[in-house]
Amino acid sequence: GVRPAVVHVWIKRGLVTGERHDTDIVRLADDAGEELYPVHRIDKVTSGAVLFAKSVEVHGGLTRQFNRRTVDKAYLVVARSPGLPEFGTIDLPLSVGRKNRVRIAAPRDAIVMDRSTSRWSVPGSTVRLGQKVYPSLTTFARLWEGGGRTILLAKPLTGRRHQIRVHLAWIGHPIEGDPLFDKAPTTRAMLHSWHLALDASWSDGHRIQVEASPGADFWSVLGRRWSDSRTEATLDVARRTLLTLKELEDTQTLADNPEGDGEGPGLPSEG
């Protein structure tokens, strides 16, 4: 048969694509005689879909799509608090602070929410100068709320490192179990790379949809009453909501914040 040009892998948390951690998929594949080229990365605490190319040529075409932000990425999130709107936009610039920690490039008390548009932003005058600033935009939809928690479908339109995690925490709705904002988490970080859509650049360019449903450990934080049927219903809502979020994205522009002129650690785009 024809050898596939790309594979998608369902990643368990802690199983990653880089060399920073103990378990490396690329190395495991190499040990098995298979050469894989990671197209993008997800955080160690994140589960879900990751793409690998099986040739350098295909890898180049795919990474260009990520760099041009034409890949559609959607994550499932369990936030540790209720009260989020049905749809929302977080337009908060990021920077890298002490100990290489990603943070909002402005004081927390400068964050404002426009209730008419459900959009969080900061005035340009409050952005900290003297450092590199990365404009960052996340859209989200509320899929379910109950028991003090909220399930969200979140899309990092700019794809910065830790973007969804930092954005939600700084508006007061941190991700359940996120070790960046919980010093003693009792559960895994409830962040899952659920949906990817990209063009088959190695073929005729048709659009490919990839979906990786979360495992039982993702839903377990919602309690014993959470059932398989409720999981399926929530995923059905998420699939329908993707189109609505796409329409919301088409109306979005980043706030005109200064980018600063300081030197500092980079904050590259991430899958």
Side-chain angles (χ1 to χ4, degrees), residues 99-139:
K99 298 183 179 179
N100 204 32
R101 287 178 63 91
V102 181
R103 54 162 293 143
I104 301 302
R108 189 183 296 269
D109 59 10
I111 298 173
V112 294
M113 178 196 179
D114 183 340
R115 295 192 177 276
S116 67
T117 59
S118 298
R119 186 185 187 96
W120 286 261
S121 62
V122 291
S125 60
T126 67
V127 175
R128 302 177 190 273
L129 299 179
Q131 63 184 349
K132 183 64 178 174
V133 175
Y134 300 85
S136 304
L137 194 67
T138 302
T139 59

Side-chain angles (χ1 to χ4, degrees), residues 7 58 95 237 257:
V7 293
V58 171
S95 64
V237 173
N257 295 136

Side-chain angles (χ1 to χ4, degrees), residues 28 33 50 64 106 119 132 145 153 170 172 192 201 223 240:
L28 291 174
V50 175
R64 280 191 290 274
R119 186 185 187 96
K132 183 64 178 174
E145 182 180 282
L153 182 65
W170 277 64
H192 182 83
S201 55
R240 294 195 299 270

Side-chain angles (χ1 to χ4, degrees), residues 52-260:
F52 295 85
K54 302 187 83 171
S55 73
V56 173
E57 294 76 18
V58 171
H59 178 265
L62 289 171
T63 54
R64 280 191 290 274
Q65 291 184 57
F66 275 91
N67 292 337
R68 294 169 182 164
R69 297 173 186 163
T70 59
V71 176
D72 196 40
K73 299 172 289 185
Y75 289 73
L76 292 172
V77 175
V78 179
R80 207 166 64 220
S81 57
L84 284 164
E86 183 179 7
F87 294 95
T89 301
I90 307 172
D91 182 5
L92 297 175
L94 299 177
S95 64
V96 181
R98 291 178 297 178
K99 298 183 179 179
N100 204 32
R101 287 178 63 91
V102 181
R103 54 162 293 143
I104 301 302
R108 189 183 296 269
D109 59 10
I111 298 173
V112 294
M113 178 196 179
D114 183 340
R115 295 192 177 276
S116 67
T117 59
S118 298
R119 186 185 187 96
W120 286 261
S121 62
V122 291
S125 60
T126 67
V127 175
R128 302 177 190 273
L129 299 179
Q131 63 184 349
K132 183 64 178 174
V133 175
Y134 300 85
S136 304
L137 194 67
T138 302
T139 59
F140 68 82
R142 188 185 70 230
L143 303 178
W144 179 89
E145 182 180 282
R149 295 182 176 90
T150 307
I151 301 175
L152 301 173
L153 182 65
K155 301 187 69 176
L157 304 191
T158 44
R160 308 294 188 188
R161 177 162 60 94
H162 299 342
Q163 176 177 317
I164 295 174
R165 300 166 69 182
V166 173
H167 270 177
L168 286 173
W170 277 64
I171 67 169
H173 298 272
I175 294 172
E176 183 74 53
D178 187 351
L180 287 180
F181 302 98
D182 186 346
K183 293 182 179 179
T186 58
T187 183
R188 58 155 290 187
M190 298 300 167
L191 178 62
H192 182 83
S193 172
W194 174 64
H195 172 87
L196 294 168
L198 62 148
D199 296 331
S201 55
W202 61 91
S203 179
D204 59 4
H206 66 281
R207 197 73 169 166
I208 292 176
Q209 308 279 336
V210 173
E211 182 180 310
S213 297
D217 63 334
F218 181 85
W219 307 106
S220 62
V221 71
L222 301 170
R224 295 180 179 179
R225 293 186 178 181
W226 191 268
S227 63
D228 290 346
S229 60
R230 184 172 284 185
T231 293
E232 287 306 313
T234 302
L235 293 177
D236 283 343
V237 173
R239 293 180 190 107
R240 294 195 299 270
T241 304
L242 277 174
L243 180 59
T244 306
L245 270 184
K246 181 63 177 174
E247 293 171 352
L248 176 63
E249 290 166 24
D250 292 341
T251 68
Q252 301 301 310
T253 55
L254 285 162
D256 186 20
N257 295 136
E259 292 208 18

Side-chain angles (χ1 to χ4, degrees), residues 32-45:
E34 183 73 76
E35 196 163 21
L36 295 179
Y37 302 89
V39 177
H40 64 126
R41 299 175 186 273
I42 59 177
D43 290 343
K44 182 181 180 182
V45 302

